Amino acid sequence: MHARTRIAAALVAVAVGALTISACDTGSTVVDKPKDHAAAKADGGKDGKDAKKGKSSEAAKVGDTLTLKGFEKGSQLDVTVVKIADPGKPADEFTEPDAGKRFVGVQFQLVNTGKAVYSDSPSNGAQVADSEGQQFDSTFADITAGPSMSSSLKLKPGAKGLGWIVFEVPKGSKLDAVQFTMDSGFADQTGEWKLK
């Protein structure tokens, strides 16, 4: 009798858990279409030919801006990958990448285009990926390319933040993409910039 009760309770718990998970999953998306298509238009309509061949020439690249939304109502950023420093040179003699690895710096510009205050640690939501599909999180390091992004960034609507986020990757890895997600990496929209 007790075994049946436990099995029934376990089935109810599994059903409630499944309903909770499906209610929370609003569907994650990858945003890779730049906000401003002026660069694509400037190449003399070349992107139209590529589109007919099945190639997407509109994927975001270094210099492009993507608009991303966070969880909170009115939470929105325009995110630009400004520059890449590969390899990134350590800013001091005490900070070195581990053996067989190199630093890569990505300069991000974040502009609060929403109605809510943005308050987060941007490095928590940043990643780089290589051509093998391996993803690398940020690391705590400063490079000579410029000032690091604040680890506790607060932006009122209309304000912007600029800084470098550093990653430690294997020396032989060929980087393919940069990704950024609001809310320390937990928001549903992830921006992606191709590096090739």
Side-chain angles (χ1 to χ4, degrees):
M1 184 76 166
H2 293 294
R4 284 188 192 161
T5 305
R6 280 187 252 152
I7 291 171
L11 290 173
V12 169
V14 168
V16 169
L19 288 173
T20 303
I21 289 170
S22 63
C24 292
D25 184 18
T26 57
S28 297
T29 58
V30 174
V31 177
D32 67 351
K33 300 300 179 228
K35 181 177 178 181
D36 181 13
H37 295 284
K41 292 176 186 171
D43 68 5
K46 185 175 150 187
D47 61 318
K49 291 178 187 174
D50 287 347
K52 289 178 187 173
K53 294 178 186 175
K55 295 179 184 175
S56 174
S57 62
E58 292 188 34
K61 58 189 182 308
V62 175
D64 287 335
T65 300
L66 299 176
T67 300
L68 302 174
K69 293 183 179 179
F71 282 133
E72 185 181 342
K73 185 177 180 180
S75 178
Q76 179 175 290
L77 291 177
D78 275 1
V79 182
T80 307
V81 169
V82 181
K83 296 177 188 173
I84 305 288
D86 186 7
K89 184 179 176 190
D92 59 58
E93 67 272 14
F94 305 108
T95 308
E96 291 288 332
D98 289 340
K101 296 189 176 182
R102 72 187 192 271
F103 286 145
V104 174
V106 179
Q107 188 182 42
F108 285 94
Q109 177 176 277
L110 310 179
V111 179
N112 187 346
T113 54
K115 296 181 180 177
V117 171
Y118 171 78
S119 179
D120 199 5
S121 179
S123 62
N124 290 343
Q127 289 186 321
V128 292
D130 68 13
S131 56
E132 301 295 318
Q134 298 177 99
Q135 294 187 328
F136 305 96
D137 293 324
S138 63
T139 189
F140 293 106
D142 292 321
I143 57 174
T144 58
S148 293
M149 179 69 76
S150 172
S151 62
S152 180
L153 189 63
K154 292 177 178 56
L155 301 174
K156 65 182 182 180
K160 68 180 174 181
L162 178 70
W164 290 86
I165 296 177
V166 179
F167 305 86
E168 191 173 20
V169 302
K171 283 186 177 177
S173 286
K174 294 179 181 176
L175 292 185
D176 182 56
V178 174
Q179 294 184 331
F180 184 85
T181 309
M182 291 180 67
D183 300 315
S184 284
F186 291 101
D188 289 330
Q189 287 188 330
T190 296
E192 183 174 89
W193 293 260
K194 288 305 232 178
L195 299 179
K196 295 180 181 181

